[in-house]
Amino acid sequence: MSTIHALGYLVVRGPVAEWRRYGADLLGAQVSDSSADNELRLRMDDRAYRILVEDGEPTGPTSLVALGFETASAGALDELAARLDAKGVAVTENPELAARRQVRRLFTFQDLDGNTLEAYYGQHTDHRAFISPRGVKFVTGDMGVGHTFLLSSDAQKASEWYIDVLGFRLSDTIDFGIAEGIFLHCNSRHHTIALATFPGAPSGIGHLMIEVDRLDAVGRALDLVAESPEALTMAIGEHTNDRMTSFYVKTPSGFDVEYGWNGLLIDDADWTVGHYSSPSNWGHRFTTPPPPAPADAAPEL
């Protein structure tokens, strides 16, 4: 069983000014008062932030700075650290970074692809009400910010590491044609981490999924994409495995955000792992070629 409670936050590198407009006007997130000139903190609920953008050049998948994995308590964090140490994973506690991330305690380590992972407990809760500039309500809470789809040099080994070392559980797999997607969960959200290996793709983040509580919020966001400089990379559709109705839009950092509604919830007591021959029941057609994969063999993430 995983001591990781959720994907609590995501840290990425990108142009802060562009992300400020993108996060508020398109996604409907609230810019936190704790944002500085060289960074942007986006609120999606009562937490101080869920997405943290550090100012820098957009680099697509390699824009990922860190995944922030939340544990429920100091004891759970210590238990995770002991487990990592027993598995031979180097762990470094970092009080200075914990203060910057607005958490009580934090330590860092890396997965097999070299992605930086930050495990923590006690993220700051803002006493001021969350107010979306678009009137959006995000599905977060105990399930965290959403899910990330990671591009891996070896998705099978990487998924085994997340299961064996971090205690994630297998949700299901999807045949993408040129690769297999592996979907893992640590709470009731269908998946918190997904991994796949695509020819020529660098390791890093493929997309971040954020979920809203109404279908019309997805539709209104889709209308806004048509008026924004960001490219719609995948049209609206419904996934086979998590039943999410969503579309994909490029972020200022160069990776995608999946903007969705109605994701499937998992109860481990009666969950059966499945395998799907297609990623979508309908829709989800690429509107622009998703580099670095060739357009004629592009995976549907």
Side-chain angles (χ1 to χ4, degrees):
M1 199 71 169
S2 178
T3 56
I4 290 174
H5 191 66
L7 176 63
Y9 60 76
L10 187 86
V11 185
V12 298
R13 187 179 301 104
V16 163
E18 293 180 37
W19 263 101
R20 182 181 295 270
R21 172 192 51 77
Y22 178 94
D25 296 349
L26 181 58
L27 302 184
Q30 180 183 5
V31 174
S32 171
D33 291 342
S34 62
S35 298
D37 290 341
N38 63 344
E39 70 174 27
L40 177 71
R41 298 174 183 236
L42 294 173
R43 293 184 62 192
M44 297 168 62
D45 52 18
D46 63 351
R47 298 296 182 89
Y49 65 92
R50 289 293 191 174
I51 300 173
L52 194 161
V53 182
E54 297 180 350
D55 198 34
E57 292 296 321
T59 56
T62 59
S63 296
L64 179 64
V65 174
L67 301 177
F69 285 125
E70 183 175 50
T71 62
S73 64
L77 184 64
D78 288 335
E79 182 182 341
L80 177 59
R83 177 172 181 159
L84 288 164
D85 183 66
K87 296 288 185 179
V89 179
V91 177
T92 303
E93 185 153 10
N94 192 328
E96 181 182 356
L97 184 61
R100 285 167 47 201
R101 297 287 194 252
Q102 297 179 275
V103 300
R104 296 299 299 269
R105 285 177 58 203
L106 175 151
F107 61 76
T108 62
F109 56 103
Q110 291 187 328
D111 68 11
L112 295 185
D113 287 298
N115 297 309
T116 296
L117 310 181
E118 299 175 357
Y120 69 92
Y121 91 97
Q123 186 183 17
H124 175 69
T125 298
D126 198 321
H127 71 279
R128 291 163 294 190
F130 165 70
I131 302 175
S132 166
R134 291 210 304 105
V136 171
K137 182 177 180 180
F138 296 99
V139 179
T140 53
D142 290 342
M143 295 191 297
V145 60
H147 76 240
T148 57
F149 194 107
L150 297 178
L151 308 176
S152 173
S153 60
D154 190 328
Q156 185 59 47
K157 286 185 178 180
S159 63
E160 290 170 358
W161 185 89
Y162 272 89
I163 291 169
D164 179 53
V165 176
L166 298 187
F168 279 71
R169 284 90 72 193
L170 178 64
S171 302
D172 44 47
T173 56
I174 292 178
D175 182 2
F176 289 140
I178 62 172
E180 181 177 73
I182 304 170
F183 298 80
L184 310 176
H185 65 278
C186 64
N187 53 45
S188 59
R189 196 187 292 279
H190 176 273
H191 59 282
T192 290
I193 296 290
L195 303 111
T197 301
F198 298 118
S203 297
I205 183 171
H207 72 253
L208 166 69
M209 186 285 297
I210 59 176
E211 185 176 358
V212 292
D213 71 334
R214 295 171 58 94
L215 179 58
D216 66 339
V218 175
R220 292 176 189 276
L222 187 57
D223 283 347
L224 289 171
V225 172
E227 303 169 3
S228 76
E230 283 75 35
L232 180 70
T233 55
M234 192 182 293
I236 194 167
E238 180 190 72
H239 283 305
T240 52
N241 61 345
D242 69 356
R243 302 304 174 96
M244 183 77 70
T245 298
S246 61
F247 67 87
Y248 292 67
V249 59
K250 194 69 68 181
T251 69
S253 292
F255 63 88
D256 286 352
V257 157
E258 177 186 4
Y259 203 87
W261 164 78
N262 200 38
L264 186 67
L265 300 180
I266 281 180
D267 183 347
D268 279 313
D270 59 10
W271 181 254
T272 299
V273 174
H275 177 73
Y276 295 85
S277 59
S278 173
S280 296
N281 290 318
W282 56 268
H284 279 152
R285 301 304 178 194
F286 281 107
T287 56
T288 58
D296 61 352
E300 295 187 17
L301 304 187

